[in-house]
Amino acid sequence: MDEFTLINTFFKSLTSPREDVIVGIGDDAACVKVPCNHHLLVSTDTLVSGVHFLESWDAYEIAQKALMVNISDMAAMAAKPCWVSLALTLPHLDETWLTRFAMGLKEGLDRYQISLIGGDTTHGPLSITLTIHGLVPIGKAVRRSGAKPGDIIYVSGSLGGAALAVLNIQESLQPAGQADLMKKLLQPIPRVDLGFLLQTYATAAIDISDGLGADLGHICEESHVGAHLVDSSVPIHPLVKEQQPHKAFDLALNGGDDYELCFTIPVNQQTAFLADLAKANITCYPIGCIETGSGLRITTENGNLVNCDIHGYRHF
Ligand code: ADP
Ligand code: MG
Protein backbone atom coordinates (compact mmCIF):
# COMPACT_ATOMS: atom_id res chain seq x y z
CA MET A 1 0.00 0.00 0.00
CA ASP A 2 1.39 3.44 -0.87
CA GLU A 3 0.62 6.78 0.73
CA PHE A 4 -2.23 7.59 -1.67
CA THR A 5 -4.00 4.25 -1.26
CA LEU A 6 -3.62 4.73 2.49
CA ILE A 7 -5.24 8.18 2.36
CA ASN A 8 -8.08 6.90 0.16
CA THR A 9 -8.66 3.75 2.17
CA PHE A 10 -8.54 5.12 5.68
CA PHE A 11 -9.27 8.82 5.51
CA LYS A 12 -11.07 9.89 2.33
CA SER A 13 -13.96 7.53 2.95
CA LEU A 14 -14.12 8.19 6.66
CA THR A 15 -15.84 11.50 6.92
CA SER A 16 -19.39 12.50 6.12
CA PRO A 17 -18.82 15.81 4.33
CA ARG A 18 -20.66 18.90 5.48
CA GLU A 19 -22.52 21.04 2.99
CA ASP A 20 -20.03 23.86 3.56
CA VAL A 21 -17.06 21.78 2.32
CA ILE A 22 -16.51 22.86 -1.28
CA VAL A 23 -13.28 20.87 -1.74
CA GLY A 24 -12.27 18.18 0.77
CA ILE A 25 -9.51 15.54 0.73
CA GLY A 26 -7.84 15.01 -2.65
CA ASP A 27 -6.80 18.42 -3.95
CA ASP A 28 -3.85 20.65 -3.10
CA ALA A 29 -5.89 22.47 -0.48
CA ALA A 30 -9.31 22.22 1.04
CA CYS A 31 -11.91 24.90 0.40
CA VAL A 32 -14.72 25.64 2.84
CA LYS A 33 -17.51 28.17 2.89
CA VAL A 34 -17.30 30.57 5.83
CA PRO A 35 -20.70 32.14 6.56
CA CYS A 36 -20.79 35.92 6.65
CA ASN A 37 -21.22 37.42 10.13
CA HIS A 38 -18.80 34.82 11.51
CA HIS A 39 -15.15 34.72 12.41
CA LEU A 40 -13.01 31.70 11.56
CA LEU A 41 -10.96 30.29 14.47
CA VAL A 42 -7.94 28.07 13.88
CA SER A 43 -5.96 25.98 16.34
CA THR A 44 -3.37 23.18 16.15
CA ASP A 45 -2.43 20.53 18.68
CA THR A 46 0.18 17.79 18.32
CA LEU A 47 0.29 14.50 20.20
CA VAL A 48 3.71 12.84 20.26
CA SER A 49 4.21 9.18 21.07
CA GLY A 50 5.91 8.74 24.44
CA VAL A 51 5.02 12.29 25.49
CA HIS A 52 1.22 12.56 25.20
CA PHE A 53 0.42 8.88 24.80
CA LEU A 54 2.11 5.49 24.74
CA GLU A 55 2.52 3.60 21.48
CA SER A 56 0.93 0.59 23.20
CA TRP A 57 -2.40 2.44 23.56
CA ASP A 58 -5.31 1.47 21.36
CA ALA A 59 -5.17 3.61 18.20
CA TYR A 60 -8.93 4.24 18.56
CA GLU A 61 -8.21 6.06 21.84
CA ILE A 62 -5.20 7.91 20.46
CA ALA A 63 -7.36 9.26 17.62
CA GLN A 64 -10.13 10.27 20.02
CA LYS A 65 -7.76 12.02 22.36
CA ALA A 66 -6.12 13.93 19.49
CA LEU A 67 -9.52 15.06 18.24
CA MET A 68 -11.02 15.91 21.64
CA VAL A 69 -8.10 18.11 22.76
CA ASN A 70 -8.44 20.06 19.51
CA ILE A 71 -12.21 20.41 19.90
CA SER A 72 -11.59 21.62 23.45
CA ASP A 73 -9.61 24.60 22.12
CA MET A 74 -12.67 25.60 20.09
CA ALA A 75 -14.90 25.13 23.16
CA ALA A 76 -12.58 27.39 25.16
CA MET A 77 -13.12 30.21 22.64
CA ALA A 78 -16.91 29.52 22.59
CA ALA A 79 -16.62 28.48 18.93
CA LYS A 80 -18.35 25.69 17.07
CA PRO A 81 -15.84 23.18 15.64
CA CYS A 82 -16.43 22.53 11.92
CA TRP A 83 -13.42 21.19 10.02
CA VAL A 84 -10.12 19.45 10.80
CA SER A 85 -7.00 18.51 8.89
CA LEU A 86 -4.73 15.70 10.03
CA ALA A 87 -0.94 15.51 9.77
CA LEU A 88 -0.02 11.94 10.54
CA THR A 89 3.55 10.66 10.94
CA LEU A 90 3.77 6.88 11.05
CA PRO A 91 6.76 4.64 11.86
CA HIS A 92 5.28 1.89 9.66
CA LEU A 93 2.18 1.13 7.67
CA ASP A 94 0.14 -1.00 10.03
CA GLU A 95 -3.33 -1.59 8.61
CA THR A 96 -4.77 -2.88 11.90
CA TRP A 97 -3.53 0.25 13.69
CA LEU A 98 -4.84 2.52 10.92
CA THR A 99 -8.25 0.81 10.97
CA ARG A 100 -8.62 1.42 14.73
CA PHE A 101 -7.29 4.97 14.37
CA ALA A 102 -9.75 5.79 11.57
CA MET A 103 -12.63 4.28 13.59
CA GLY A 104 -11.85 6.41 16.64
CA LEU A 105 -11.53 9.49 14.48
CA LYS A 106 -14.79 8.78 12.66
CA GLU A 107 -16.75 8.30 15.87
CA GLY A 108 -15.53 11.66 17.19
CA LEU A 109 -16.02 13.51 13.90
CA ASP A 110 -19.58 12.19 13.54
CA ARG A 111 -20.43 12.97 17.16
CA TYR A 112 -19.52 16.64 16.67
CA GLN A 113 -20.45 16.86 12.97
CA ILE A 114 -16.94 17.84 11.97
CA SER A 115 -15.49 17.13 8.51
CA LEU A 116 -11.94 15.89 7.91
CA ILE A 117 -10.92 18.09 5.00
CA GLY A 118 -7.25 17.24 4.40
CA GLY A 119 -3.90 16.52 5.89
CA ASP A 120 -0.46 15.14 5.29
CA THR A 121 0.96 11.65 5.70
CA THR A 122 4.65 11.12 6.41
CA HIS A 123 7.05 8.44 7.61
CA GLY A 124 8.80 8.89 10.94
CA PRO A 125 8.29 8.58 14.72
CA LEU A 126 4.58 8.32 15.57
CA SER A 127 2.94 11.71 15.99
CA ILE A 128 -0.47 13.17 15.28
CA THR A 129 -1.15 16.80 14.53
CA LEU A 130 -4.66 18.09 14.04
CA THR A 131 -5.58 21.58 12.91
CA ILE A 132 -9.13 22.45 13.77
CA HIS A 133 -11.25 25.23 12.32
CA GLY A 134 -14.34 26.62 13.99
CA LEU A 135 -16.88 29.40 13.67
CA VAL A 136 -18.16 32.00 16.06
CA PRO A 137 -20.50 34.96 15.41
CA ILE A 138 -18.40 38.11 14.86
CA GLY A 139 -17.24 39.58 18.17
CA LYS A 140 -18.36 36.60 20.23
CA ALA A 141 -15.09 34.67 20.56
CA VAL A 142 -14.12 34.51 24.24
CA ARG A 143 -10.47 35.28 24.87
CA ARG A 144 -8.16 34.86 27.84
CA SER A 145 -7.72 38.57 28.16
CA GLY A 146 -11.12 39.93 29.25
CA ALA A 147 -11.31 39.08 32.97
CA LYS A 148 -12.01 42.06 35.27
CA PRO A 149 -11.60 42.45 39.06
CA GLY A 150 -14.79 41.28 40.74
CA ASP A 151 -15.68 38.67 38.09
CA ILE A 152 -16.61 35.27 39.48
CA ILE A 153 -14.36 32.38 38.39
CA TYR A 154 -16.07 29.12 37.40
CA VAL A 155 -14.95 25.65 36.38
CA SER A 156 -17.20 23.39 34.34
CA GLY A 157 -16.56 20.10 36.13
CA SER A 158 -14.54 18.14 38.65
CA LEU A 159 -10.75 18.11 38.35
CA GLY A 160 -7.87 15.76 39.01
CA GLY A 161 -9.34 12.57 37.51
CA ALA A 162 -7.05 12.40 34.49
CA ALA A 163 -3.99 13.21 36.61
CA LEU A 164 -4.90 10.43 39.05
CA ALA A 165 -5.11 7.99 36.13
CA VAL A 166 -1.52 8.93 35.23
CA LEU A 167 -0.37 8.68 38.85
CA ASN A 168 -1.89 5.20 39.15
CA ILE A 169 -0.11 4.10 35.96
CA GLN A 170 3.21 5.52 37.20
CA GLU A 171 2.82 3.74 40.54
CA SER A 172 1.55 0.52 38.89
CA LEU A 173 -1.68 0.71 40.88
CA GLN A 174 -4.94 -0.79 39.61
CA PRO A 175 -7.52 0.54 42.09
CA ALA A 176 -11.27 0.23 41.55
CA GLY A 177 -12.40 2.97 39.20
CA GLN A 178 -9.14 3.06 37.22
CA ALA A 179 -11.10 2.28 34.04
CA ASP A 180 -13.26 5.38 34.63
CA LEU A 181 -10.17 7.47 35.30
CA MET A 182 -8.50 6.18 32.13
CA LYS A 183 -11.59 7.22 30.21
CA LYS A 184 -11.18 10.75 31.59
CA LEU A 185 -7.56 10.71 30.40
CA LEU A 186 -8.09 9.07 27.00
CA GLN A 187 -11.49 10.33 25.98
CA PRO A 188 -12.05 13.73 27.56
CA ILE A 189 -15.37 15.38 26.72
CA PRO A 190 -14.73 18.87 25.33
CA ARG A 191 -17.23 21.36 26.73
CA VAL A 192 -18.70 22.70 23.50
CA ASP A 193 -22.07 22.55 25.27
CA LEU A 194 -21.10 25.77 27.08
CA GLY A 195 -20.47 27.69 23.85
CA PHE A 196 -23.60 29.82 23.73
CA LEU A 197 -23.51 30.64 27.46
CA LEU A 198 -19.86 31.69 27.21
CA GLN A 199 -20.61 33.85 24.16
CA THR A 200 -23.39 35.54 26.11
CA TYR A 201 -21.80 35.98 29.54
CA ALA A 202 -18.08 35.16 29.81
CA THR A 203 -15.37 37.82 29.94
CA ALA A 204 -12.54 35.24 29.65
CA ALA A 205 -12.17 31.49 29.23
CA ILE A 206 -9.52 28.77 28.88
CA ASP A 207 -9.57 24.99 28.73
CA ILE A 208 -7.72 23.21 31.52
CA SER A 209 -5.06 21.18 29.75
CA ASP A 210 -2.05 21.93 31.97
CA GLY A 211 -3.78 22.26 35.36
CA LEU A 212 -6.22 24.77 36.90
CA GLY A 213 -3.47 26.78 38.59
CA ALA A 214 -1.36 27.16 35.46
CA ASP A 215 -4.29 27.77 33.11
CA LEU A 216 -6.07 30.26 35.36
CA GLY A 217 -2.63 31.87 35.60
CA HIS A 218 -2.80 32.43 31.82
CA ILE A 219 -6.14 34.23 32.18
CA CYS A 220 -4.59 36.41 34.92
CA GLU A 221 -1.52 37.27 32.84
CA GLU A 222 -3.47 38.03 29.69
CA SER A 223 -6.11 40.03 31.59
CA HIS A 224 -3.55 41.83 33.84
CA VAL A 225 -5.39 40.77 37.00
CA GLY A 226 -4.98 38.44 39.96
CA ALA A 227 -7.24 35.63 41.14
CA HIS A 228 -8.48 34.53 44.55
CA LEU A 229 -9.42 30.84 44.87
CA VAL A 230 -11.20 29.27 47.83
CA ASP A 231 -9.71 25.80 48.27
CA SER A 232 -12.90 24.04 49.41
CA SER A 233 -14.80 25.39 46.38
CA VAL A 234 -12.62 23.65 43.80
CA PRO A 235 -14.56 20.57 42.63
CA ILE A 236 -12.37 17.48 42.96
CA HIS A 237 -13.14 14.18 41.23
CA PRO A 238 -14.67 11.82 43.85
CA LEU A 239 -12.15 9.04 43.11
CA VAL A 240 -9.30 11.51 43.69
CA LYS A 241 -10.67 12.39 47.14
CA GLU A 242 -11.13 8.71 47.90
CA GLN A 243 -7.80 7.34 46.63
CA GLN A 244 -5.46 10.28 47.29
CA PRO A 245 -7.02 12.33 50.12
CA HIS A 246 -3.69 14.02 50.92
CA LYS A 247 -2.76 14.81 47.33
CA ALA A 248 -6.34 15.56 46.18
CA PHE A 249 -6.12 19.35 46.11
CA ASP A 250 -2.70 19.26 44.47
CA LEU A 251 -3.99 16.90 41.75
CA ALA A 252 -7.00 19.17 41.12
CA LEU A 253 -4.85 22.32 41.06
CA ASN A 254 -1.87 21.00 39.10
CA GLY A 255 -3.13 17.95 37.23
CA GLY A 256 -3.63 18.49 33.52
CA ASP A 257 -5.65 16.68 30.89
CA ASP A 258 -9.14 17.18 32.36
CA TYR A 259 -10.22 19.55 29.56
CA GLU A 260 -12.88 21.22 31.65
CA LEU A 261 -13.24 24.96 31.08
CA CYS A 262 -12.29 27.75 33.48
CA PHE A 263 -14.10 31.04 32.80
CA THR A 264 -15.10 34.33 34.36
CA ILE A 265 -18.52 35.98 34.62
CA PRO A 266 -19.19 39.57 35.79
CA VAL A 267 -20.96 39.83 39.14
CA ASN A 268 -23.93 41.71 37.66
CA GLN A 269 -24.53 38.86 35.19
CA GLN A 270 -24.61 36.08 37.79
CA THR A 271 -28.37 35.80 38.15
CA ALA A 272 -29.01 35.62 34.42
CA PHE A 273 -26.05 33.27 33.85
CA LEU A 274 -27.13 30.86 36.60
CA ALA A 275 -30.72 30.86 35.32
CA ASP A 276 -29.58 30.02 31.78
CA LEU A 277 -27.17 27.40 33.12
CA ALA A 278 -30.01 25.71 35.01
CA LYS A 279 -32.22 25.91 31.91
CA ALA A 280 -29.48 24.16 29.91
CA ASN A 281 -29.23 21.57 32.70
CA ILE A 282 -25.47 22.17 33.10
CA THR A 283 -23.62 22.37 36.42
CA CYS A 284 -20.65 24.71 36.85
CA TYR A 285 -18.80 25.52 40.05
CA PRO A 286 -17.86 29.00 41.32
CA ILE A 287 -14.34 28.70 42.77
CA GLY A 288 -13.31 32.26 43.54
CA CYS A 289 -13.07 35.70 42.02
CA ILE A 290 -10.80 37.92 40.00
CA GLU A 291 -9.02 40.66 41.91
CA THR A 292 -6.61 43.49 41.14
CA GLY A 293 -2.90 42.76 41.19
CA SER A 294 -1.35 39.62 39.77
CA GLY A 295 -0.95 35.91 40.46
CA LEU A 296 -3.04 33.37 42.28
CA ARG A 297 -4.01 33.65 45.95
CA ILE A 298 -5.52 30.54 47.50
CA THR A 299 -7.31 30.70 50.85
CA THR A 300 -9.62 28.59 52.98
CA GLU A 301 -13.26 29.62 53.34
CA ASN A 302 -12.24 31.63 56.42
CA GLY A 303 -9.65 33.57 54.49
CA ASN A 304 -6.53 31.81 55.79
CA LEU A 305 -3.80 31.69 53.18
CA VAL A 306 -3.11 28.21 51.77
CA ASN A 307 0.46 27.63 50.68
CA CYS A 308 0.61 25.53 47.55
CA ASP A 309 2.96 25.07 44.72
CA ILE A 310 1.63 25.75 41.23
CA HIS A 311 3.45 23.65 38.72
CA GLY A 312 1.52 23.00 35.53
CA TYR A 313 2.91 20.74 32.82
CA ARG A 314 5.74 22.25 30.82
CA HIS A 315 7.46 20.66 27.82
CA PHE A 316 10.75 22.54 28.21
P1 ADP B 1 0.29 17.41 -1.77
O1 ADP B 1 1.39 16.58 -2.28
O2 ADP B 1 -0.38 18.27 -2.77
O3 ADP B 1 0.63 18.11 -0.49
P2 ADP B 1 -0.64 15.07 -0.50
O4 ADP B 1 -0.12 14.02 -1.38
O5 ADP B 1 0.12 15.37 0.75
O6 ADP B 1 -0.87 16.38 -1.35
O7 ADP B 1 -2.12 14.70 -0.09
C1 ADP B 1 -3.10 14.38 -1.05
C2 ADP B 1 -4.46 14.76 -0.50
O8 ADP B 1 -4.77 13.96 0.62
C3 ADP B 1 -4.55 16.19 -0.02
O9 ADP B 1 -5.85 16.67 -0.31
C4 ADP B 1 -4.34 16.10 1.45
O10 ADP B 1 -5.01 17.14 2.13
C5 ADP B 1 -4.97 14.74 1.76
N1 ADP B 1 -4.33 14.04 2.90
C6 ADP B 1 -3.05 13.63 3.01
N2 ADP B 1 -2.84 12.96 4.16
C7 ADP B 1 -4.03 12.95 4.81
C8 ADP B 1 -4.48 12.43 6.07
N3 ADP B 1 -3.66 11.76 6.90
N4 ADP B 1 -5.77 12.63 6.40
C9 ADP B 1 -6.59 13.32 5.59
N5 ADP B 1 -6.25 13.80 4.40
C10 ADP B 1 -4.98 13.64 4.01
MG1 MG C 1 1.20 17.38 1.19
Side-chain angles (χ1 to χ4, degrees):
M1 187 183 277
D2 65 15
E3 176 191 334
F4 303 102
T5 325
L6 182 157
I7 294 164
N8 284 327
T9 310
F10 294 101
F11 297 114
K12 197 166 180 178
S13 55
L14 161 162
T15 175
S16 5
R18 297 162 51 106
E19 263 175 28
D20 52 15
V21 177
I22 313 298
V23 181
I25 294 173
D27 215 314
D28 288 310
C31 174
V32 296
K33 198 166 162 182
V34 178
C36 54
N37 309 324
H38 283 74
H39 278 156
L40 175 68
L41 288 92
V42 183
S43 169
T44 297
D45 255 322
T46 295
L47 266 65
V48 176
S49 178
V51 178
H52 301 92
F53 63 89
L54 301 177
E55 208 159 335
S56 59
W57 287 8
D58 182 356
Y60 185 98
E61 286 164 340
I62 297 172
Q64 291 236 317
K65 173 113 189 185
L67 183 59
M68 297 310 148
V69 304
N70 274 274
I71 295 175
S72 179
D73 283 322
M74 291 291 119
M77 301 286 289
K80 190 172 164 12
C82 300
W83 314 290
V84 285
S85 55
L86 164 67
L88 189 57
T89 304
L90 296 170
H92 39 249
L93 208 162
D94 177 342
E95 290 190 33
T96 314
W97 192 94
L98 278 162
T99 304
R100 289 293 292 163
F101 185 84
M103 273 173 69
L105 197 59
K106 180 173 174 52
E107 192 285 327
L109 293 172
D110 289 350
R111 179 151 41 109
Y112 291 92
Q113 289 158 344
I114 299 169
S115 267
L116 177 67
I117 54 170
D120 201 18
T121 306
T122 50
H123 180 225
L126 181 59
S127 97
I128 296 134
T129 297
L130 284 177
T131 297
I132 191 158
H133 308 75
L135 295 171
V136 72
I138 285 177
K140 294 288 185 187
V142 180
R143 301 176 57 173
R144 297 176 177 182
S145 54
K148 296 275 181 301
D151 289 358
I152 308 292
I153 306 165
Y154 283 86
V155 290
S156 61
S158 72
L159 303 175
L164 178 59
V166 174
L167 186 70
N168 285 337
I169 298 172
Q170 285 167 345
E171 301 195 343
S172 305
L173 299 171
Q174 270 294 346
Q178 178 65 3
D180 290 344
L181 296 171
M182 283 304 288
K183 198 154 184 196
K184 293 227 79 154
L185 178 67
L186 300 176
Q187 293 164 296
I189 297 176
R191 300 304 305 269
V192 278
D193 57 330
L194 280 162
F196 184 70
L197 288 166
L198 294 181
Q199 285 175 19
T200 311
Y201 297 108
T203 48
I206 192 166
D207 64 331
I208 305 174
S209 55
D210 294 336
L212 172 66
D215 288 321
L216 177 56
H218 293 312
I219 288 186
C220 290
E221 277 158 38
E222 293 300 317
S223 300
H224 307 290
V225 293
H228 171 208
L229 287 191
V230 177
D231 64 353
S232 57
S233 302
V234 174
I236 302 177
H237 193 286
L239 287 170
V240 177
K241 282 195 259 189
E242 193 185 303
Q243 294 175 19
Q244 291 288 349
H246 301 297
K247 281 190 194 162
F249 187 70
D250 180 61
L251 286 167
L253 186 68
N254 291 310
D257 279 314
D258 284 313
Y259 294 97
E260 293 294 343
L261 299 181
C262 175
F263 56 92
T264 54
I265 307 280
V267 169
N268 63 8
Q269 302 279 310
Q270 294 303 308
T271 314
F273 169 68
L274 291 172
D276 278 351
L277 200 62
K279 237 184 267 168
N281 208 8
I282 301 173
T283 307
C284 289
Y285 305 84
I287 57 168
C289 62
I290 297 294
E291 54 188 20
T292 53
S294 65
L296 211 58
R297 192 165 65 86
I298 303 175
T299 72
T300 63
E301 234 171 315
N302 307 328
N304 297 322
L305 209 59
V306 177
N307 248 331
C308 39
D309 190 24
I310 293 162
H311 49 88
Y313 187 82
R314 281 169 195 251
H315 283 276
F316 297 101

